[in-house]
Amino acid sequence: MDNSKIAIINGKLFISNKFKKGTLLIHGEKIHKVIIEENKILNENISLDGYKIIDATNCIVSFGFFDPHVHLRTPGFEYKEDWVSGVKAAIKGGFTYIVDMPNTNPPSINLESLEIKNNIAKNSKINYGLYIGLTDDNSKNIGKIFSDILEKNINLLGIKVFLGSSTGSLLVKNEKSIKHSLETKYINLFHCEDENTLQKYKDIEYKTVYDYTDIRPDISEIVAFHKIIKNSSKNSKIYICHISSKKLAKEIKKYRKKGYKIVAEISPHHLYFCDENIRNSSLFKVNPPIRKQKDLFYLRKLFNSGFFDIVGSDHAPHTIEEKKSKNPPSGMPGLETTFYVLANLYQNGSIKKNRLFKLLTSGYKIFSIKDRGKIKAGNFADITIVQKKPYTIKNNSIVSKANFSPYSGLKANYSIKSVIINGELIL
Ligand SMILES: [Zn+2]
């Protein structure tokens, strides 16, 4: 595909937080030229002979979407998802770069397990990175283990720290482990619920999904967050996953003001659902839980104010049989629906459009990915084109092995038209 040429014409290019009408030329796997209409010299004609033309009239042309938070469940739980179905779901959702979480079986906690996972992932068309899971065992040498893995050309992007039990066996109990990890130069991504606090509420009976926010209350997020701060310095790279509550968001605000560097991630379900708009179904059971309306409204307000740095789908598929069982696991699929949820919120006036595209492409900068992230000559051609065309999320069109979506029936005015990865038109 090296000598293939693609021209994307008549679209609005999302560049520097603005939408500018222009033409994008792709040669091989790189962006060759970006021509912005308003800067164009009168009568300047570009010959498009030999190009495959994509007409992007009524479309927004964005750099490819980046998802920092996916669970492709492989190895170990291939019946829930694998790299074929998961990548298909990602591309369908407009993502060109995904980063996979370590709570697989074996868990990704050392070189061997990451080599196993990387061998599974490496032939997929999508760009990807991996995380290593912190344990009380590997924490003493976590910096060295990390650099050894990088030397093997595995694209390790951060350390995932589970402070509360979620899916899988990864859990950090010793505070010293957190300290060791935060002393490295790498990004630490926290599942920010405190296990000891969760234990205090574990006897509350799960009768309906509405009980879940009491079983895993927001106070557990606050306790976990203070543990992180206690063991960090102002140079630590702290990344808080899926912020679900007003309380936690306010606390993060406070510590940012004191000079702590904290990357704040929001997941679409915490920006869309609350106890008032979900059905009584365990399809909506997720860690941390769907919270109250006051939390939802506050998170949306923060979304527009620029508080959040990134959107993470937290794509966490389980089979529908598991989700409907007596003891349903937590988590929901999200790769195929994240863009549509945000587009729906945009057309309802809940969030701003440029913020939406910004947060779907901000991962490149946060994780220091070279030559990607911006529509710019010389960068890799990872492009997501969305068109003004209605779309409805339907359970029967889900390609993830989860085979359901909690957003079934949700409508959006925009839909994913094309996805280009490394110069190749994939969708
Ligand atoms: Zn997750």
Side-chain angles (χ1 to χ4, degrees):
M1 294 297 289
D2 263 345
N3 44 21
S4 71
K5 291 177 171 182
I6 299 175
I8 304 170
I9 60 168
N10 300 327
K12 277 191 178 154
L13 312 179
F14 181 65
I15 294 176
S16 309
N17 218 13
K18 290 195 175 77
F19 301 93
K20 298 175 180 174
K21 196 149 190 244
T23 299
L24 182 59
L25 303 181
I26 296 168
H27 287 189
E29 59 184 6
K30 295 283 182 73
I31 296 172
H32 174 68
K33 204 171 181 186
V34 185
I35 305 144
I36 305 295
E37 199 104 307
E38 62 191 52
N39 302 339
K40 210 172 127 182
I41 308 151
L42 207 63
N43 297 328
E44 181 189 8
N45 274 324
I46 332 142
S47 164
L48 294 179
D49 284 354
Y51 281 88
K52 176 181 170 52
I53 308 280
I54 298 177
D55 185 358
T57 304
N58 288 324
C59 294
I60 292 166
V61 180
S62 167
F63 200 85
F65 298 162
F66 184 106
D67 192 340
H69 194 151
V70 307
H71 300 266
L72 292 198
R73 303 296 195 207
T74 301
F77 307 97
E78 287 83 353
Y79 71 96
K80 292 178 196 269
E81 199 77 289
D82 59 36
W83 274 77
V84 175
S85 58
V87 166
K88 215 172 150 188
I91 292 168
K92 189 175 160 222
F95 291 100
T96 61
Y97 203 118
I98 55 174
V99 197
D100 189 56
M101 286 292 174
N103 53 337
T104 43
N105 190 17
S108 310
I109 51 171
N110 51 30
L111 175 61
E112 295 72 35
S113 50
L114 276 149
E115 272 180 330
I116 292 171
K117 185 178 279 184
N118 194 52
N119 282 333
I120 297 166
K122 70 181 178 196
N123 292 322
S124 47
K125 293 244 181 209
I126 204 159
N127 300 310
Y128 69 91
L130 304 174
Y131 297 122
I132 186 168
L134 189 73
T135 69
D136 289 322
D137 278 339
N138 72 11
S139 64
K140 286 151 225 127
N141 296 313
I142 190 68
K144 169 89 169 72
I145 296 170
F146 201 115
S147 59
D148 286 350
I149 293 167
L150 288 179
E151 263 176 37
K152 295 275 177 182
N153 275 328
I154 294 172
N155 190 26
L156 195 62
L157 293 183
I159 304 163
K160 177 70 185 282
V161 188
F162 284 92
L163 296 181
S165 304
S166 196
T167 303
S169 57
L170 284 173
L171 179 67
V172 173
K173 288 184 179 151
N174 192 339
E175 275 192 47
K176 275 202 183 125
S177 308
I178 309 170
K179 194 168 179 359
H180 285 310
S181 194
L182 283 164
E183 277 165 1
T184 66
K185 59 183 174 185
Y186 305 111
I187 298 180
N188 288 263
L189 300 99
F190 289 94
H191 182 112
C192 191
E193 290 180 292
D194 175 62
E195 184 62 20
N196 291 339
T197 312
L198 293 178
Q199 288 299 322
K200 288 185 197 159
Y201 296 86
K202 72 173 192 334
D203 291 332
I204 299 176
E205 199 188 342
Y206 179 87
K207 287 192 291 271
T208 72
V209 71
Y210 303 107
D211 300 322
Y212 205 47
T213 183
D214 298 324
I215 296 171
R216 295 179 83 106
D218 53 9
I219 181 70
S220 71
E221 294 185 298
I222 300 298
V223 175
F225 180 68
H226 286 157
K227 256 190 196 167
I228 297 164
I229 292 294
K230 199 176 127 198
N231 290 289
S232 66
S233 72
K234 287 177 182 167
N235 293 319
S236 303
K237 290 183 181 163
I238 304 168
Y239 179 122
I240 306 291
C241 296
H242 41 49
I243 293 159
S244 74
S245 67
K246 180 175 178 173
K247 268 191 193 153
L248 176 59
K250 281 195 141 179
E251 208 59 17
I252 291 171
K253 249 186 177 178
K254 202 164 101 190
Y255 280 89
R256 272 181 173 168
K257 274 199 191 125
K258 292 184 184 180
Y260 288 89
K261 290 187 210 77
I262 303 165
V263 175
E265 180 194 87
I266 182 81
S267 297
H269 41 275
H270 293 127
L271 207 52
Y272 193 81
F273 293 128
C274 67
D275 56 349
E276 304 279 326
N277 68 357
I278 55 170
R279 283 177 287 123
N280 179 15
S281 161
S282 292
L283 297 187
F284 301 92
K285 188 181 182 215
V286 62
N287 297 339
I290 302 298
R291 304 226 183 257
K292 308 277 184 198
Q293 199 172 49
K294 68 164 173 39
D295 295 291
L296 178 68
F297 288 168
Y298 190 73
L299 295 179
R300 283 186 189 171
K301 200 176 98 187
L302 286 188
F303 189 89
N304 277 333
S305 75
F307 171 86
F308 291 105
D309 302 287
I310 189 160
V311 172
S313 76
D314 195 8
H315 178 77
H318 300 283
T319 66
I320 188 86
E321 291 76 23
E322 289 175 310
K323 288 296 275 180
K324 288 189 168 170
S325 69
K326 271 219 153 115
N327 193 9
S330 298
M332 50 174 80
L335 275 167
E336 287 162 80
T337 49
T338 293
F339 169 75
Y340 294 105
V341 172
L342 297 176
N344 175 284
L345 289 171
Y346 157 65
Q347 72 216 34
N348 291 339
S350 301
I351 61 172
K352 287 177 197 147
K353 186 161 70 174
N354 57 348
R355 185 79 57 199
L356 181 167
F357 285 94
K358 191 177 175 194
L359 295 192
L360 286 173
T361 53
S362 59
Y364 300 96
K365 194 172 173 202
I366 292 169
F367 292 94
S368 310
I369 312 291
K370 259 185 82 192
D371 301 328
R372 299 186 199 271
K374 286 201 168 86
I375 294 184
K376 191 176 96 178
N379 270 358
F380 283 96
D382 301 333
I383 303 292
T384 300
I385 306 176
V386 307
Q387 60 188 339
K388 209 161 189 188
K389 190 179 165 191
Y391 184 90
T392 305
I393 295 173
K394 290 184 184 133
N395 280 333
N396 61 12
S397 63
I398 295 296
V399 299
S400 158
K401 286 189 184 178
N403 223 358
F404 73 91
S405 169
Y407 304 100
S408 182
L410 178 140
K411 289 181 166 55
N413 286 341
Y414 281 89
S415 56
I416 308 288
K417 174 186 161 80
S418 301
V419 173
I420 294 167
I421 301 178
N422 296 313
E424 194 179 339
L425 182 63
I426 308 269
L427 183 83

